[in-house]
Coordinates of all heavy atoms in Angstrom, one line a residue:
M3 N -12.4 -23.1 -16.8 CA -11.8 -22.0 -16.1 C -12.0 -20.7 -16.9 O -11.7 -20.7 -18.1 CB -10.4 -22.3 -15.7 CG -9.7 -21.1 -15.0 SD -8.0 -21.4 -14.6 CE -7.2 -21.2 -16.2
T4 N -12.4 -19.7 -16.2 CA -12.5 -18.4 -16.8 C -11.4 -17.5 -16.4 O -10.6 -17.9 -15.5 CB -13.9 -17.7 -16.5 OG1 -13.9 -17.6 -15.0 CG2 -15.0 -18.5 -17.0
S5 N -11.2 -16.3 -16.9 CA -10.2 -15.5 -16.5 C -10.5 -14.8 -15.1 O -11.7 -14.8 -14.7 CB -9.9 -14.4 -17.5 OG -11.0 -13.6 -17.6
L6 N -9.5 -14.5 -14.4 CA -9.7 -13.8 -13.0 C -10.5 -12.6 -13.2 O -10.4 -11.8 -14.1 CB -8.4 -13.5 -12.4 CG -7.4 -14.6 -12.0 CD1 -6.1 -14.0 -11.4 CD2 -8.1 -15.5 -11.0
E7 N -11.4 -12.4 -12.2 CA -12.2 -11.2 -12.2 C -11.9 -10.5 -10.9 O -12.1 -11.0 -9.8 CB -13.7 -11.7 -12.2 CG -14.7 -10.5 -12.3 CD -16.1 -11.0 -12.4 OE1 -16.4 -11.6 -13.4 OE2 -16.8 -10.8 -11.4
L8 N -11.2 -9.3 -11.1 CA -10.7 -8.6 -10.0 C -11.4 -7.2 -9.9 O -11.8 -6.6 -10.9 CB -9.2 -8.3 -10.1 CG -8.4 -9.6 -10.3 CD1 -6.9 -9.2 -10.7 CD2 -8.4 -10.4 -9.0
I9 N -11.6 -6.7 -8.7 CA -12.1 -5.4 -8.4 C -11.0 -4.6 -7.9 O -10.5 -4.9 -6.8 CB -13.3 -5.5 -7.4 CG1 -14.4 -6.4 -8.0 CG2 -13.8 -4.0 -7.1 CD1 -15.5 -6.7 -7.0
C10 N -10.5 -3.6 -8.6 CA -9.4 -2.8 -8.2 C -9.8 -1.3 -8.1 O -9.9 -0.6 -9.1 CB -8.2 -2.9 -9.2 SG -7.6 -4.6 -9.3
P11 N -10.2 -0.8 -6.9 CA -10.7 0.5 -6.8 C -9.6 1.6 -7.1 O -8.4 1.3 -6.9 CB -11.1 0.6 -5.3 CG -10.4 -0.5 -4.6 CD -10.1 -1.5 -5.7
D12 N -10.0 2.7 -7.4 CA -9.1 3.9 -7.7 C -9.1 4.8 -6.5 O -9.7 5.8 -6.5 CB -9.6 4.6 -9.0 CG -8.6 5.7 -9.4 OD1 -7.5 5.6 -8.9 OD2 -9.0 6.6 -10.1
W13 N -8.4 4.3 -5.5 CA -8.3 5.1 -4.2 C -6.9 5.8 -4.2 O -5.9 5.2 -4.6 CB -8.4 4.2 -3.0 CG -9.7 3.5 -2.9 CD1 -10.9 3.9 -3.3 CD2 -9.9 2.3 -2.1 NE1 -11.9 3.0 -3.0 CE2 -11.3 2.0 -2.2 CE3 -9.1 1.5 -1.4 CZ2 -11.9 0.9 -1.6 CZ3 -9.7 0.4 -0.8 CH2 -11.1 0.1 -0.9
P14 N -6.8 7.0 -3.5 CA -5.5 7.5 -3.3 C -4.7 6.7 -2.2 O -5.2 6.6 -1.1 CB -5.8 8.9 -2.8 CG -7.2 8.9 -2.3 CD -7.9 7.8 -3.0
L15 N -3.6 6.2 -2.6 CA -2.8 5.3 -1.7 C -1.4 5.8 -1.7 O -0.9 6.4 -2.6 CB -2.9 3.9 -2.1 CG -4.3 3.2 -2.0 CD1 -4.3 1.9 -2.7 CD2 -4.7 3.1 -0.6
A16 N -0.7 5.4 -0.7 CA 0.8 5.7 -0.6 C 1.5 4.9 -1.8 O 1.0 3.9 -2.3 CB 1.4 5.2 0.7
D17 N 2.6 5.4 -2.1 CA 3.4 4.7 -3.2 C 3.6 3.2 -2.8 O 3.8 2.9 -1.6 CB 4.8 5.3 -3.4 CG 4.7 6.7 -4.0 OD1 3.6 7.0 -4.6 OD2 5.6 7.5 -3.9
K18 N 3.7 2.3 -3.8 CA 3.9 0.9 -3.6 C 2.8 0.2 -2.9 O 3.0 -1.0 -2.5 CB 5.3 0.7 -3.0 CG 6.4 1.2 -3.8 CD 7.7 0.8 -3.2 CE 8.9 1.3 -4.1 NZ 10.2 0.9 -3.6
I19 N 1.7 0.8 -2.7 CA 0.5 0.1 -2.1 C -0.6 0.0 -3.1 O -0.9 1.0 -3.7 CB 0.0 0.8 -0.8 CG1 1.1 0.8 0.3 CG2 -1.3 0.2 -0.3 CD1 0.8 1.5 1.5
N20 N -1.1 -1.2 -3.3 CA -2.2 -1.4 -4.2 C -3.3 -2.2 -3.5 O -3.1 -2.9 -2.6 CB -1.8 -2.2 -5.4 CG -0.8 -1.4 -6.2 OD1 -1.1 -0.3 -6.7 ND2 0.4 -1.8 -6.4
V21 N -4.6 -2.0 -3.9 CA -5.7 -2.6 -3.3 C -6.4 -3.4 -4.4 O -6.6 -2.9 -5.6 CB -6.7 -1.6 -2.7 CG1 -7.9 -2.3 -2.2 CG2 -6.0 -0.8 -1.6
C22 N -6.9 -4.6 -4.1 CA -7.6 -5.4 -5.1 C -8.4 -6.5 -4.3 O -8.0 -7.0 -3.3 CB -6.5 -6.2 -5.9 SG -7.3 -7.2 -7.2
T23 N -9.6 -6.7 -4.8 CA -10.5 -7.7 -4.3 C -10.8 -8.7 -5.4 O -11.1 -8.3 -6.5 CB -11.8 -7.0 -3.8 OG1 -11.5 -6.1 -2.8 CG2 -12.8 -8.1 -3.2
T24 N -10.8 -10.0 -5.0 CA -11.1 -11.0 -5.9 C -12.6 -11.3 -5.9 O -13.3 -11.0 -5.0 CB -10.4 -12.4 -5.6 OG1 -10.8 -12.8 -4.3 CG2 -8.9 -12.2 -5.7
T25 N -13.1 -11.9 -7.0 CA -14.4 -12.5 -7.0 C -14.2 -14.0 -7.0 O -13.1 -14.5 -6.9 CB -15.2 -12.1 -8.2 OG1 -14.6 -12.6 -9.4 CG2 -15.3 -10.5 -8.3
R26 N -15.3 -14.8 -7.2 CA -15.1 -16.2 -7.3 C -14.8 -16.7 -8.6 O -14.6 -17.9 -8.9 CB -16.4 -16.9 -6.8 CG -16.6 -16.7 -5.3 CD -17.8 -17.4 -4.8 NE -17.6 -18.8 -4.9 CZ -18.3 -19.8 -4.3 NH1 -19.2 -19.4 -3.4 NH2 -18.0 -21.0 -4.5
H27 N -14.7 -15.9 -9.6 CA -14.5 -16.3 -11.0 C -13.0 -16.4 -11.3 O -12.2 -15.6 -11.0 CB -15.2 -15.3 -12.0 CG -16.6 -15.1 -11.7 ND1 -17.5 -16.1 -12.1 CD2 -17.3 -14.2 -11.1 CE1 -18.7 -15.8 -11.8 NE2 -18.7 -14.6 -11.2
G28 N -12.7 -17.5 -12.1 CA -11.4 -17.6 -12.7 C -10.5 -18.7 -12.1 O -9.4 -18.8 -12.4
G29 N -11.0 -19.5 -11.1 CA -10.1 -20.5 -10.5 C -10.4 -21.9 -11.0 O -11.2 -22.1 -11.9
V30 N -9.8 -22.8 -10.3 CA -9.9 -24.3 -10.6 C -10.8 -25.1 -9.7 O -11.0 -26.3 -9.9 CB -8.6 -24.9 -10.8 CG1 -7.7 -24.2 -11.8 CG2 -7.8 -24.9 -9.5
S31 N -11.2 -24.5 -8.5 CA -12.0 -25.3 -7.6 C -13.3 -25.7 -8.1 O -13.8 -25.0 -9.0 CB -12.2 -24.4 -6.3 OG -11.0 -24.2 -5.6
T32 N -13.9 -26.8 -7.6 CA -15.2 -27.2 -8.1 C -16.1 -27.4 -6.9 O -15.8 -27.2 -5.8 CB -15.0 -28.6 -8.8 OG1 -14.5 -29.5 -7.8 CG2 -14.0 -28.5 -10.0
G33 N -17.4 -27.7 -7.3 CA -18.4 -27.9 -6.2 C -18.7 -26.7 -5.5 O -18.7 -25.6 -6.1
P34 N -18.9 -26.8 -4.2 CA -19.3 -25.6 -3.4 C -18.2 -24.5 -3.3 O -18.5 -23.4 -2.9 CB -19.6 -26.1 -2.1 CG -18.9 -27.4 -2.0 CD -18.8 -28.0 -3.3
Y35 N -17.0 -24.9 -3.7 CA -15.9 -23.9 -3.7 C -15.6 -23.3 -5.0 O -14.6 -22.5 -5.1 CB -14.6 -24.6 -3.1 CG -14.9 -25.4 -1.9 CD1 -15.0 -26.8 -1.9 CD2 -15.1 -24.7 -0.7 CE1 -15.3 -27.5 -0.7 CE2 -15.4 -25.4 0.5 CZ -15.5 -26.8 0.5 OH -15.8 -27.4 1.6
S36 N -16.3 -23.5 -6.0 CA -16.0 -23.1 -7.3 C -16.1 -21.5 -7.3 O -16.9 -20.9 -6.6 CB -16.9 -23.6 -8.4 OG -18.2 -23.1 -8.2
E37 N -15.2 -20.9 -8.0 CA -14.1 -21.3 -8.8 C -12.8 -20.9 -8.1 O -11.9 -21.7 -8.0 CB -14.1 -20.7 -10.2 CG -15.4 -20.9 -11.0 CD -15.5 -20.0 -12.2 OE1 -14.5 -19.5 -12.7 OE2 -16.6 -19.9 -12.7
L38 N -12.7 -19.7 -7.7 CA -11.5 -19.1 -7.1 C -11.5 -19.1 -5.6 O -11.4 -18.1 -5.0 CB -11.2 -17.7 -7.7 CG -9.9 -17.1 -7.4 CD1 -8.8 -17.8 -8.1 CD2 -9.8 -15.6 -7.8
N39 N -11.6 -20.3 -5.0 CA -11.4 -20.3 -3.6 C -10.0 -20.2 -3.2 O -9.1 -20.9 -3.7 CB -12.0 -21.7 -3.0 CG -11.7 -21.8 -1.5 OD1 -12.0 -20.9 -0.8 ND2 -11.2 -22.9 -1.1
L40 N -9.7 -19.3 -2.3 CA -8.3 -19.0 -1.9 C -8.0 -19.5 -0.5 O -6.9 -19.3 0.1 CB -8.0 -17.6 -2.0 CG -8.1 -17.0 -3.4 CD1 -8.0 -15.5 -3.4 CD2 -7.0 -17.6 -4.3
A41 N -9.0 -20.2 0.2 CA -8.9 -20.5 1.6 C -8.5 -22.0 1.8 O -9.3 -22.8 1.3 CB -10.1 -20.1 2.4
H42 N -7.5 -22.3 2.6 CA -7.2 -23.7 2.9 C -8.2 -24.3 3.9 O -8.4 -25.5 3.9 CB -5.8 -23.8 3.6 CG -4.7 -23.6 2.6 ND1 -3.4 -23.3 2.9 CD2 -4.6 -23.9 1.2 CE1 -2.6 -23.3 1.9 NE2 -3.3 -23.6 0.9
H43 N -8.8 -23.5 4.8 CA -9.5 -24.0 6.0 C -11.0 -24.3 5.8 O -11.6 -24.6 6.7 CB -9.3 -22.9 7.1 CG -10.1 -21.6 6.8 ND1 -9.5 -20.7 5.9 CD2 -11.2 -21.2 7.2 CE1 -10.4 -19.7 5.9 NE2 -11.4 -19.9 6.6
V44 N -11.4 -24.3 4.5 CA -12.9 -24.5 4.3 C -13.2 -25.9 3.8 O -14.4 -26.2 3.6 CB -13.5 -23.4 3.4 CG1 -13.3 -22.0 4.1 CG2 -12.8 -23.5 2.0
G45 N -12.3 -26.7 3.5 CA -12.5 -28.1 3.0 C -12.3 -28.3 1.6 O -12.5 -29.4 1.1
D46 N -11.8 -27.3 0.9 CA -11.5 -27.5 -0.6 C -10.2 -28.3 -0.7 O -9.4 -28.4 0.3 CB -11.3 -26.1 -1.2 CG -11.3 -26.1 -2.7 OD1 -11.5 -27.1 -3.3 OD2 -11.1 -25.0 -3.3
Q47 N -10.0 -28.9 -1.9 CA -8.8 -29.6 -2.1 C -7.6 -28.7 -2.0 O -7.5 -27.6 -2.6 CB -8.8 -30.2 -3.6 CG -9.9 -31.3 -3.7 CD -9.6 -32.5 -2.9 OE1 -8.5 -33.0 -2.9 NE2 -10.7 -33.0 -2.3
L48 N -6.6 -29.1 -1.3 CA -5.3 -28.3 -1.1 C -4.7 -28.0 -2.5 O -4.3 -26.8 -2.7 CB -4.3 -29.1 -0.2 CG -3.0 -28.3 0.0 CD1 -3.2 -27.0 0.7 CD2 -2.1 -29.2 0.8
S49 N -4.7 -28.9 -3.4 CA -4.1 -28.7 -4.7 C -4.8 -27.6 -5.5 O -4.3 -26.8 -6.2 CB -4.0 -30.0 -5.5 OG -5.3 -30.5 -5.7
S50 N -6.2 -27.5 -5.3 CA -7.0 -26.5 -6.0 C -6.7 -25.1 -5.4 O -6.5 -24.1 -6.1 CB -8.5 -26.8 -5.8 OG -8.8 -28.0 -6.5
V51 N -6.6 -25.0 -4.1 CA -6.3 -23.8 -3.4 C -4.9 -23.3 -3.8 O -4.7 -22.1 -4.1 CB -6.4 -23.9 -1.9 CG1 -6.0 -22.6 -1.2 CG2 -7.8 -24.3 -1.4
Q52 N -3.9 -24.2 -3.8 CA -2.6 -23.8 -4.2 C -2.6 -23.3 -5.7 O -1.9 -22.3 -6.0 CB -1.6 -25.0 -4.1 CG -1.4 -25.3 -2.6 CD -0.6 -26.6 -2.4 OE1 -0.7 -27.5 -3.2 NE2 0.2 -26.6 -1.3
A53 N -3.3 -24.0 -6.6 CA -3.4 -23.6 -8.0 C -4.1 -22.2 -8.1 O -3.7 -21.3 -8.9 CB -4.2 -24.6 -8.8
N54 N -5.1 -22.0 -7.3 CA -5.9 -20.7 -7.4 C -5.0 -19.6 -6.9 O -4.9 -18.5 -7.4 CB -7.1 -20.8 -6.5 CG -8.2 -21.6 -7.1 OD1 -8.3 -21.8 -8.3 ND2 -9.1 -22.1 -6.2
R55 N -4.2 -19.8 -5.8 CA -3.3 -18.8 -5.3 C -2.2 -18.5 -6.3 O -1.8 -17.3 -6.5 CB -2.7 -19.3 -4.0 CG -3.7 -19.2 -2.9 CD -3.1 -19.7 -1.6 NE -4.0 -19.5 -0.4 CZ -3.7 -19.6 0.8 NH1 -2.4 -19.8 1.2 NH2 -4.6 -19.5 1.8
A56 N -1.7 -19.5 -7.0 CA -0.7 -19.3 -8.1 C -1.3 -18.5 -9.2 O -0.6 -17.6 -9.7 CB -0.2 -20.6 -8.6
L57 N -2.6 -18.8 -9.6 CA -3.2 -18.0 -10.6 C -3.3 -16.5 -10.2 O -3.1 -15.6 -11.0 CB -4.6 -18.5 -10.9 CG -4.7 -19.8 -11.7 CD1 -6.1 -20.4 -11.6 CD2 -4.2 -19.6 -13.1
L58 N -3.7 -16.3 -9.0 CA -3.8 -14.9 -8.5 C -2.4 -14.2 -8.5 O -2.3 -13.1 -9.0 CB -4.4 -14.8 -7.1 CG -4.6 -13.4 -6.5 CD1 -5.6 -12.7 -7.3 CD2 -5.0 -13.5 -5.1
Q59 N -1.4 -14.9 -8.1 CA -0.1 -14.2 -8.0 C 0.3 -13.9 -9.5 O 0.9 -12.8 -9.8 CB 1.0 -15.2 -7.4 CG 2.4 -14.6 -7.4 CD 3.4 -15.5 -6.7 OE1 3.0 -16.5 -6.0 NE2 4.6 -15.2 -6.9
Q60 N 0.1 -14.8 -10.4 CA 0.4 -14.6 -11.8 C -0.5 -13.5 -12.4 O 0.0 -12.6 -13.1 CB 0.2 -15.9 -12.6 CG 0.5 -15.7 -14.1 CD 0.2 -17.0 -14.8 OE1 -0.2 -18.0 -14.2 NE2 0.4 -17.0 -16.1
G61 N -1.8 -13.5 -12.1 CA -2.7 -12.5 -12.6 C -2.4 -11.1 -12.2 O -2.6 -10.1 -12.9
L62 N -1.9 -11.0 -10.9 CA -1.5 -9.6 -10.4 C 0.0 -9.3 -10.7 O 0.5 -8.2 -10.3 CB -1.8 -9.6 -8.9 CG -3.2 -9.7 -8.5 CD1 -3.4 -9.7 -7.0 CD2 -4.0 -8.5 -9.0
N63 N 0.7 -10.2 -11.3 CA 2.1 -10.0 -11.7 C 2.9 -9.7 -10.4 O 3.7 -8.8 -10.4 CB 2.3 -8.9 -12.7 CG 3.6 -8.9 -13.4 OD1 4.2 -10.0 -13.5 ND2 4.1 -7.8 -13.8
L64 N 2.7 -10.5 -9.3 CA 3.4 -10.3 -8.1 C 4.7 -11.0 -8.1 O 4.8 -12.2 -8.6 CB 2.6 -10.8 -6.9 CG 1.2 -10.2 -6.7 CD1 0.4 -11.0 -5.6 CD2 1.3 -8.8 -6.4
P65 N 5.8 -10.4 -7.7 CA 7.1 -11.0 -7.7 C 7.3 -12.2 -6.7 O 8.1 -13.1 -6.9 CB 8.1 -9.9 -7.4 CG 7.3 -8.9 -6.6 CD 5.9 -9.1 -7.1
T66 N 6.5 -12.2 -5.6 CA 6.5 -13.3 -4.7 C 5.1 -13.5 -4.2 O 4.2 -12.7 -4.4 CB 7.3 -12.9 -3.4 OG1 6.8 -11.7 -2.8 CG2 8.8 -12.7 -3.8
A67 N 4.8 -14.6 -3.6 CA 3.5 -15.0 -3.1 C 3.1 -14.0 -2.0 O 3.9 -13.6 -1.2 CB 3.5 -16.4 -2.5
P68 N 1.8 -13.6 -1.9 CA 1.3 -12.8 -0.8 C 1.4 -13.5 0.5 O 1.5 -14.8 0.5 CB -0.1 -12.5 -1.2 CG -0.4 -13.2 -2.5 CD 0.7 -14.0 -2.9
T69 N 1.3 -12.8 1.5 CA 1.1 -13.4 2.9 C -0.4 -13.6 3.1 O -1.2 -12.6 2.9 CB 1.7 -12.4 3.9 OG1 3.1 -12.2 3.7 CG2 1.5 -13.0 5.3
W70 N -0.8 -14.8 3.4 CA -2.2 -15.2 3.5 C -2.6 -15.1 5.0 O -1.8 -15.6 5.9 CB -2.4 -16.5 2.9 CG -2.2 -16.5 1.5 CD1 -1.0 -16.9 0.9 CD2 -3.0 -16.0 0.5 NE1 -1.1 -16.7 -0.5 CE2 -2.4 -16.2 -0.8 CE3 -4.3 -15.5 0.4 CZ2 -2.9 -15.8 -2.0 CZ3 -4.9 -15.2 -0.8 CH2 -4.2 -15.3 -1.9
L71 N -3.7 -14.6 5.3 CA -4.2 -14.5 6.6 C -5.5 -15.3 6.8 O -6.2 -15.6 5.8 CB -4.6 -13.0 7.0 CG -3.5 -12.0 6.8 CD1 -4.0 -10.6 7.1 CD2 -2.3 -12.3 7.7
N72 N -5.8 -15.8 8.0 CA -7.1 -16.5 8.2 C -8.0 -15.6 9.1 O -7.6 -15.3 10.2 CB -6.9 -17.8 8.9 CG -6.3 -18.9 8.1 OD1 -6.6 -18.9 6.9 ND2 -5.5 -19.7 8.6
Q73 N -9.0 -15.1 8.5 CA -9.9 -14.2 9.2 C -10.8 -15.0 10.2 O -11.4 -16.1 9.8 CB -10.8 -13.4 8.3 CG -11.7 -12.4 8.9 CD -12.5 -11.6 7.9 OE1 -12.4 -11.8 6.7 NE2 -13.2 -10.6 8.4
T74 N -11.0 -14.5 11.4 CA -11.8 -15.2 12.3 C -13.0 -14.3 12.7 O -12.7 -13.1 13.1 CB -11.0 -15.6 13.6 OG1 -9.9 -16.4 13.2 CG2 -11.9 -16.3 14.6
H75 N -14.2 -14.8 12.7 CA -15.3 -14.0 13.1 C -15.7 -14.5 14.5 O -15.9 -15.7 14.7 CB -16.5 -14.2 12.1 CG -16.2 -13.8 10.8 ND1 -16.4 -12.5 10.4 CD2 -15.7 -14.4 9.7 CE1 -16.1 -12.3 9.1 NE2 -15.6 -13.5 8.7
G76 N -16.0 -13.6 15.4 CA -16.4 -14.1 16.8 C -16.5 -12.9 17.7 O -16.3 -11.7 17.3
T77 N -16.8 -13.2 18.9 CA -16.9 -12.1 19.9 C -15.8 -12.1 20.9 O -15.8 -11.3 21.9 CB -18.2 -12.3 20.7 OG1 -18.3 -13.6 21.3 CG2 -19.4 -12.2 19.8
H78 N -14.8 -13.0 20.8 CA -13.7 -13.0 21.7 C -12.4 -12.7 21.0 O -12.1 -13.0 19.9 CB -13.5 -14.5 22.3 CG -14.7 -14.9 23.1 ND1 -15.6 -15.7 22.6 CD2 -15.1 -14.5 24.3 CE1 -16.6 -15.9 23.5 NE2 -16.3 -15.1 24.5

């Protein structure tokens, strides 16, 4: 496992709002999901996704877990 690799742009934002994008580096997932897969719905081991999410929460020093969304691509 490597350390988390985050992209944090320097944008003007309202107070208490921060922006950050993850890369795939720094998590525990293996195989096609390596390393920092954060999605439950793609077939990765649930325990790996949970560990990756905990690593992100810790790495960003978040007081609580983020709210996770499932993005859907489609025409409807």
Side-chain angles (χ1 to χ4, degrees):
M3 180 179 71
T4 59
S5 62
L6 292 177
E7 190 174 287
L8 304 172
I9 301 167
C10 301
D12 184 19
W13 296 337
L15 297 169
D17 290 343
K18 298 186 181 183
I19 295 178
N20 294 298
V21 176
C22 182
T23 300
T24 61
T25 68
R26 291 184 66 160
H27 300 288
V30 301
S31 295
T32 60
Y35 308 107
S36 71
E37 302 168 19
L38 188 67
N39 175 44
L40 299 168
H42 282 158
H43 67 282
V44 297
D46 195 0
Q47 295 292 317
L48 179 59
S49 59
S50 295
V51 175
Q52 290 172 330
N54 289 336
R55 289 179 174 194
L57 286 169
L58 182 63
Q59 182 178 346
Q60 180 183 0
L62 293 175
N63 197 29
L64 300 175
T66 60
T69 300
W70 296 97
L71 306 173
N72 287 326
Q73 183 175 6
T74 302
H75 298 274
T77 59
H78 297 104

